[in-house]
Each structure stands twice: as C-alpha cells, then as structure tokens.
Amino acid sequence: ANAQACRISSFLNPAIRVLTQYPTPQPLPLVPPVSSALHMLLNFPVGAYSEIWFPNGNLGLVHRLVGMLRDSLECLLPIGNEAEPQAENPDVHGKEDTDNVLPPLAIVLTKIAAEHKEAREVLKKECLPGESDRALPVDKGRSLSARLIRLLTCIRFPKLKETVGTLFFSICEENAAEFVKEIGFGNGAGFLVMNNIPFPHPDSLSSSSPERPYDVVTGEYIDAAKRANAELAAMTDEEKEREAEKLFVLFERLNKTGVITAENPVGKAIREGKV
C-alpha cells in the first residue's frame, strides 16, 4: 500500500504543484502545462489520497481551480457591455474549442466535490448562488454562479452543459431536491430529465431561506420579483418605448451574429400595429 501511495504521489505531486505554484496563464489558463496537469488529475481518486491533493488540509488547490474556471469563462465566453449583460460571444477566442477546453476542469471539480467534504463546502460557497445573486433570477447577472447556470440551458456546448450540470449535482451531494432549490427548478430540471434522475414537483419544494423566501423555479427572492413587477408597472410610456428600442437593437445584433435566427418580436409588434 505504501509503495502504491508513493507511486501515485510521484504522479500527483508534480501536477498539483503546477496548478498551485505555476503562474496562471492569461488570458486563458487552460493551456499547457496547466491543461496537462488537469488531465493528469482526472486519473486519480481524491478521497483515498486526500493528503496528497490537500496536504495538511490546505484547500488552496480548490480556490486556484475555481479562479481558473472564472478566468476561462471570461476568456472563452466573455460577457458584453452593461447594455447587453447576457451577450456572450462564444467565438471571440477563435481557435479554442470551448466545448473541449472547459469540461476537464469541471470534471476535476466534480471529483473533488464528490469525495472531499471540506472542499465541497468551498465549492458551495464559490459556485452556488449567494444572497446577492437572488435579487434576480439566478441565471441572470455577471457572477460565476449565474454564468455556470446559464450553461445548463446552452445548446451550443453539449459537453460543457452536461459537465457543469454534473458539477452542480455533485456540489449538492446528488440530492435532486437541493439541486433544483439551489439553482432554480427551471434551470435544473432539464439536466435531471436527461439523466433519468427523479425529482420532486416544484410545488412540493420550499426555499432554503424561510426568512426571505425565493421562487423555487427562478431562484429569485419573491420580494425582489414583486418589486421588479411594480417598477415595470410604474414605467411611463416613453420609458417602455426606450426599453423596447433596446430590445429591438439586441435582437438585430443577435440575428446578425448568427447566435439566434428568430423574428424580432419588437419588429413584429410594430408591423402588426401593437407598438
């Protein structure tokens, strides 16, 4: 057993040193030698060799990997300007194949979440929606959790979609009810259905925050959603017209880039005399 541990250590230690001590490549961290080290980690269990993965309980590797995930998303799927907060351009990095580059990192994080309790707690804090994220539906915004959740409904990257879903499921300790409560039933149900995982009806779920309940479908605080609806109702016709113009421009841009091919709803409303 000791001989085997020594052999595994001889492989794992250099890979972990690369990931924790080597300067993180920028703007995309997932290039050699970092990508090579990640592929090495895919071959070894965490639980049985946790002292090698996390010497003396040091969870620096987890924090470093989360940072790489954040930087890689920013590089490969950058968010547009504030006027278009959801306009992510998957082609900005040109030659990089997003659907192949990111999944190994997600898989390593999944292994860690599944096999190490303390590391899983770090990932819960870093990757699941926090209190501030629930001021909006949890798939909106610029946080790491929102960006990961949006990938669950992204059809352009099937491998990444599946590995991110598995990561969330592992962080939630493979509990389907907790999974949909954390990331929103509307975001997580598709993953559960595709993987034949039973899950409760949303009507049977309650939010994890009884002091400030949130919508289990969207993950948004209920009082925040009511406030947003009230603000919409209070808008003047001129303000609504300006928002419609912004939506029109956004749809036109998306159609031109090929991200979507759909009729602009604002243009349709204008032609039909509804606007």
Side-chain angles (χ1 to χ4, degrees):
N2 287 337
Q4 183 180 8
C6 287
R7 285 196 298 272
I8 290 177
S9 178
S10 69
F11 287 107
L12 268 179
N13 278 331
I16 291 173
R17 279 198 299 272
V18 166
L19 294 170
T20 56
Q21 300 176 22
Y22 186 85
T24 302
Q26 294 295 337
L28 178 63
L30 303 183
V31 295
V34 169
S35 57
S36 302
L38 280 172
H39 282 89
M40 177 70 73
L41 296 189
L42 291 172
N43 297 290
F44 296 99
V46 178
Y49 303 101
S50 60
E51 188 56 35
I52 301 176
W53 284 74
F54 310 113
N56 300 315
N58 186 334
L59 299 176
L61 174 63
V62 184
H63 291 284
R64 195 72 179 268
L65 293 178
V66 170
M68 291 179 183
L69 178 61
R70 185 179 287 108
D71 290 347
S72 298
L73 286 170
E74 182 63 37
C75 177
L76 294 171
L77 297 170
I79 297 178
N81 59 42
E82 290 299 328
E84 299 175 53
Q86 312 304 333
E88 297 182 3
N89 179 5
D91 301 316
V92 72
H93 210 263
K95 297 180 181 179
E96 297 299 341
D97 184 354
T98 300
D99 207 31
N100 289 323
V101 170
L102 281 167
L105 175 54
I107 294 170
V108 170
L109 289 171
T110 299
K111 286 166 58 73
I112 291 172
E115 299 181 44
H116 197 278
K117 180 180 178 181
E118 289 77 13
R120 182 168 61 247
E121 291 303 313
V122 172
L123 291 173
K124 284 183 179 181
K125 182 177 179 181
E126 295 285 348
C127 298
L128 294 181
E131 183 175 345
S132 61
D133 298 314
R134 296 190 183 279
L136 297 169
V138 292
D139 63 332
K140 309 298 182 186
R142 308 177 70 88
S143 67
L144 176 61
S145 63
R147 303 194 68 178
L148 290 172
I149 290 171
R150 285 200 290 275
L151 289 171
L152 296 178
T153 54
C154 177
I155 62 174
R156 299 192 65 170
F157 308 115
K159 295 178 186 176
L160 185 55
K161 175 182 177 180
E162 178 66 20
T163 52
V164 168
T166 305
L167 171 60
F168 275 128
F169 195 56
S170 184
I171 291 174
C172 294
E173 301 180 56
E174 300 189 357
N175 183 314
E178 286 301 313
F179 174 76
V180 293
K181 282 165 63 176
E182 288 289 351
I183 67 172
F185 188 90
N187 301 308
F191 171 83
L192 298 175
V193 170
M194 291 300 295
N195 289 279
N196 297 314
I197 300 171
F199 55 89
H201 191 278
D203 290 345
S204 68
L205 299 172
S206 60
S207 72
S208 301
S209 177
E211 299 83 8
R212 192 181 180 190
Y214 55 82
D215 187 323
V216 295
V217 175
T218 66
E220 180 181 14
Y221 282 129
I222 292 174
D223 57 356
K226 289 180 178 178
R227 185 165 56 250
N229 290 335
E231 290 172 356
L232 178 62
M235 289 174 67
T236 65
D237 289 341
E238 290 78 10
E239 289 171 331
K240 291 178 181 178
E241 186 174 332
R242 284 197 295 271
E243 292 301 316
E245 289 174 354
K246 290 180 183 178
L247 182 61
F248 180 88
V249 171
L250 177 58
F251 260 85
E252 289 301 301
R253 288 181 180 176
L254 291 173
N255 272 314
K256 287 179 181 178
T257 59
V259 173
I260 63 169
T261 303
E263 184 174 10
N264 191 318
V266 181
K268 180 180 179 182
I270 292 173
R271 287 194 302 275
E272 294 176 352
K274 296 179 180 179
V275 176

